[in-house]
Amino acid sequence: MADPRIPAPANVETTVLGADEIILNMGPQHPSTHGVLRVKLRLDGEKVVGSECVIGYLHRGVEKIAEHRTYTQFAPYVDRMDYVAAVSNGLGYCEAVEKLLGAEAPPRARVVRTILTELQRIASHLFWLGTHALDIGALTPLFYCLREREEILKIFEHYCGARLTTHAFRIGGLQYETYDGFERDVVQFCEPFDKRVDDYEALLTSNRIWLARTKGIGVLSAKDAIDYGASGPVIRGSGVKWDIRKAMPYAAYSDYEFEIPTGENGDTFDRYMVRLEEMRQSRKICLQAVAKIPAGPIMARIGKVLKPPPGEVYHAIEAPKGELGYYIVSDGTTQPYRVRIRPPSLINLEAFDKMVRGHLIADVVAIIGTLDIVLGEVDR
Amino acid sequence: MANDSEEKQPAATPPGEKPEAPAHPASPPAAAAGATPPAKPAAPVAAVPPKPAAPAGPKPAPLDNELTKRYKSKFGDAILETWTDRNQAILVVARQKLAQIARFSLKDEEFDYLADLTAVDWPRREKRFDVVLNLYSMKKNQRLRLKVHVTPEEAVPSVTAVWSTANWLEREVYDMFGIIFEGHPDLKRLLLPEEWQGYPLRKDYDILTQDTAWVRENLGIESGQ
Amino acid sequence: MMHLLQTSLEALKPFLLPLIFAVTIVAVLPLIAGYIVLMERKVMAHMQVRLGPMRVGPHGLLQPIADAVKLLLKEDIIPESADRLVFWLAPLLTVTTAMLAMAALPFGPGFQIADLNIGLLFVVGISSMGIFGIVLGGWASNSHYSLLGALRSAAQLVSYETAGGMAIVGALLFAGTLSLRNIVEMQENLGVWFIFAAPVGFFIYLVASIAETNRAPFDMPEAESELVAGYMTEYSGFRWALYFLAEYTNVVVVASIATTLFLGGWLRPFPHTHALDFLDEFPAALMLGLAVYSLYRAPKQPVLIQKLVMVLVAGMFAAFAVILLAPMVATHVAGATSIAMMVASWKPALLGGFWFLLKIFLYIYLFMWLRFTFPRYRFDQLMRLGWQFLIPISIVNVMAIGLGLALHRVWGWPRGLALITTTLITLLIAAALAHTGEKKEGSEAMVGEFWGSGRDA
Amino acid sequence: MLDRVLFDLFAGLAILSAILVVTRRNVIHSAIFLITALLATAGIFLQLHAEFLFIVQIILYVGGIMVLFIFVIMLVNLDVALHQMQFRRQWWVGLLLAIALGAETVAAIYIGRLSLPGPNSAPPATALEPNTELVGRALFTGYMLPFEIASVLLLVAMIGAVVMAKRRT
């Protein structure tokens, strides 16, 4: 029964179901909802009239757990949110706590962190491209993308022992020194990667059917993108030139030059082009960073027991999915008083209803794909 | 604080107000520890001073710059306090005026992007909840944090009309804290099932408790670890 | 009693040979369908930087047998609320129509079940009845997804049959007869395959045949990502295998129609130019090459049993090579004995069969190639392509070929020149039509209404 | 002798499925039986060596019209409508019409009984020569005008259908 304190919403006219309007329930077990997302589609024939996302199937209460763990103990939980881009989650959390402490990672740690985060961005975009193309019916790109992603995961495994939920960083810097041959592996991956992205483009970009399935689908204007708080490739696809790595540089991004790709009319095709271009830019960053990794310590002197002075901080980084923000409140004890994580996937998903109206069922799948959501991050 | 300095703070940390070198031990303003904490969360109450083993970071300091002046001139006493903590501006505003302040921030101060809306539960305080809005201005590349102190019974005016992204964020705050947002188009739980009893992120909601009735009825298992 | 038996035997005499052919085809077809599935999985795998089935038999060669056994043993669920009679009938209908269409197809000069003088019309007519199986199957399983899938596939088949039919008419104008055997003989007499005479017709038929057999990039009915498995969702076990068998038989039927009509049936490329007579030895050489290759691979197999199977496969290929070589060398080896003469007389039949199967193989390979490179068309784009582009172009193609023939026969233009001009006319009109199609889409902002006009850049 | 057996088979099948068409409650079942009836008549055409008619019957009736029948049945979901209204009251109108039609056919057969072939005479021995060409030639020479009129009529009908469909969506 509804919460008594909430007045029944007056303006919601109880819509008598139109004669031919049907509710199609997509998910939570559906091959292309990228996780346990349930979408209630109101259909008129095959055209989507309205939609409602039901989420929470993967809610693990990460923020509640944070209040019962010390700062260092909570770090591995962060990887389990956006499990496709665990490294950048870790970077965001570690930098937020470092800000809380008023400490800072040494230059060498910051450069290695940048390299690993950019590699993770490429891996996340590769995974997105493979599954997105698969949903629209192109079977082959998936295997090319996973082949490249495998190389990156090998580098992660060699560096910190894990491939997916890596827990690669520690508050204050890095746990492990880079293994010898780290630079060689990164260069070995990045050198041919540009040609690889050309292969994907050859398969898809000039493909008539791919254009027919992505141009003009799921249009999100720049004004709406900002109003709906979209971030990352979703907002850049609509033409807003905003990237936290440039606006508020963190780690070692201020030392490297790279462009921010943007689309024109904010449809699925523009977001696809933006993400492809971002992969190329990440490769450029990695190559520049690997060229000169400064020597020096990899861990700041912040001691074993972290007791940040009371207060709060909001630190946001540019995760592959968008702006990943950490709002941490400290009460001076060793355990954070409150950790709030701004999930880019959840907030990008809000624009889903506006983007999907007027399209057909087949487009719903393309639109879910273009938002690049991961349900671990949406439900936390 | 190398990377922070590039982070353009409102009025780039007013000259002279630069927090002195963090050498001296931070005054122990631990709000939570204080018995009957005064309104200001950071009032220095003599709690056990944290061991200065960790380098004591910057402590919250009152903030006064053109931005706060413009807000104060427009809303006068509705702006209760202005702080800067770790180089980030915080405005504590009155609950009633939140809608107007939000619209003012969007229209005149061009904070066109609501990065995040959340809440913090300080059970020992009389106005128990902090509703926190993290704003960001694309044009000025600045962040601003609005805070509202609320008791569980009071309803917070919804800012969904100002920034559409607040819709789900407010639903999640209601779901986790039980704070009512009046004027919200469709306020119901976002993550937990609709019939769930209790608000998990409240401090008094222990980590092991579950809505055993709901679990037994829907999942058919005798819950509890 | 003996008299009655005698007369009935006499009555059945003319049906004996076709009966044997029919039994061989119906027996061999599931095996062929199984190996086409294996070929598809292997080709798909190699296109996607992976190996495909490698475990059952060497290089997965015994995989189809494993699949068949699996499908036989799988539980055959009939949904409780399904309409039992129609649920049982639907897959049966698709398989029978698919196999019935094989009746008129000339696999070789001698090897044809029935040379109907309405051969082509018969094949097209029977395969158009395949829609019932799909539509009734979707309706009978009484689930929302299956009904949507069934409706979509029915609409798709109807619209692409028209386009395919008109494309066939394009080639028929040259052949002048409906009997498939005569069509191939006509291509032999004219000395030109109809693909060169009516190229536009061939490509339209290629596209239409892909859509007609519900294969990607037109496989909307069982688009995995939205409708789960379209009309086949509720089927399982052997019933589902029937649908699968019907789909691959349809692929073979469509491939053989295209081969007979456009690629010169059982004809060897350039049958008359004696300079290329070595092509007669090509089949045997190919088989020999395959035998040597599998022998070379045999020791490399990890498991002993796979080594044996590989040697067996090599033996089979060697046997084929000998059979295909026999007619050529019979006269030299055994002199002018009756056996040698008989064996030599088999030459056209054997070689014809080989070339026909090779062309079908290449056509099906083209199907697979398209399937793994193209994403899927959305349903309304698919329908719009069918109605607003393919059908008009196929009609224009028929008219153009008619004009070409008139130019040649009445005004005495050289045949080559007439045909080239008419093909150019068709291509020009096709380009114009495609252009207007895009311009119209460009202007519409929103994606269209129910059977909307999604973008077709 | 084989022809005789086949003929009886096809004729029996046609009559049986025709009866089933009208007696089935389930719409789809009656549609299926209608298809079997049409196929049976096509079989009889084939027996008379009229292949063109055989294949046209299949393409036209079974492949074309019946597909649209089933399409409509599925779209309109007749089953629901079937249970609601029963025309119980007008059965006697049906009966009268049936009797009138029956009398008419019996009279026709009785009058023409002389020209009908005897019970055991074989079907025409000389098979028709390939009648596709015959039908084709006749259509485009002797009956050119009616052919053109028919095609124009069809065109008008198609355009009418498109216009009606356009206005509804």
Side-chain angles (χ1 to χ4, degrees), chain C residues 19 28 71 135 142 145 159 162 184 200 212 272 275 323 350 371 380 402 418 438 447 456:
Chain C
L19 194 64
V28 166
L71 285 175
V135 166
N142 205 341
Y145 276 136
S159 53
T162 345
V184 176
V200 179
E212 231 169 279
H272 298 308
I323 294 167
L350 277 175
R371 173 172 181 199
D380 60 307
E438 272 143 31
V447 165
D456 185 4

Side-chain angles (χ1 to χ4, degrees), chain A residues 79 86-87 112 116 120 152-170 174-179 182:
Chain A
D79 294 346
V87 170
V112 171
L116 290 177
Q120 179 71 79
I152 299 177
L153 298 188
K154 281 202 186 87
I155 295 175
F156 285 161
E157 188 174 6
H158 203 156
Y159 172 68
C160 61
R163 291 159 51 92
L164 196 67
T165 52
T166 46
H167 189 204
F169 305 142
R170 295 297 179 276
L174 298 173
Q175 174 77 6
Y176 314 103
E177 183 51 75
T178 56
Y179 61 91
F182 173 74

Side-chain angles (χ1 to χ4, degrees), chain C residues 265-446:
Chain C
W266 64 77
L267 296 177
R268 194 200 68 186
F270 306 106
H272 298 308
T273 53
H274 292 297
L276 288 170
D277 265 357
F278 66 86
L279 278 179
D280 284 351
E281 279 71 30
F282 167 72
L286 181 68
M287 286 300 155
L288 211 61
L290 286 174
V292 165
Y293 178 70
S294 25
L295 264 180
Y296 162 72
R297 293 297 300 182
K300 286 193 168 53
Q301 296 310 323
V303 178
L304 176 63
I305 180 74
Q306 288 191 343
K307 287 194 175 73
L308 294 180
V309 170
M310 210 53 184
V311 167
L312 215 67
V313 163
M316 190 185 71
F317 280 129
F320 279 138
V322 165
I323 294 167
L324 285 169
L325 205 60
M328 263 74 80
V329 298
T331 44
H332 310 307
V333 165
T337 58
S338 64
I339 311 157
M341 294 316 290
M342 190 192 38
V343 167
S345 70
W346 282 344
K347 175 174 183 239
L350 277 175
L351 289 187
F354 173 82
W355 286 110
F356 189 83
L357 290 178
L358 185 70
K359 288 173 192 164
I360 288 185
F361 168 81
L362 292 178
Y363 195 82
I364 291 175
Y365 186 84
L366 192 64
F367 267 31
M368 293 173 190
W369 192 351
L370 294 178
R371 173 172 181 199
F372 305 129
T373 41
F374 284 106
R376 191 174 304 114
Y377 257 115
R378 204 179 51 208
F379 188 67
D380 60 307
Q381 292 160 346
L382 183 134
M383 295 301 283
R384 220 168 19 69
L385 175 74
W387 286 103
Q388 289 178 359
F389 182 71
L390 273 188
I391 292 181
I393 295 301
S394 54
I395 294 171
V396 163
N397 174 38
V398 168
M399 281 193 268
I401 293 177
L403 176 68
L405 285 176
L407 284 177
H408 170 57
R409 291 192 183 135
V410 173
W411 290 299
W413 282 30
R415 186 150 54 82
L417 182 65
L419 288 180
I420 290 166
T421 44
T422 45
T423 318
L424 283 179
I425 298 167
T426 352
L427 290 177
L428 271 175
I429 297 171
L433 200 65
H435 183 61
T436 49
E438 272 143 31
K439 204 151 42 54
K440 181 166 64 60
E441 257 77 53
S443 56
E444 273 153 26
M446 260 309 287

Side-chain angles (χ1 to χ4, degrees), chain D residues 25-36:
Chain D
R25 287 193 65 78
N26 184 329
V27 177
I28 291 280
H29 291 188
S30 57
I32 293 174
F33 286 119
L34 182 54
I35 294 172
T36 15

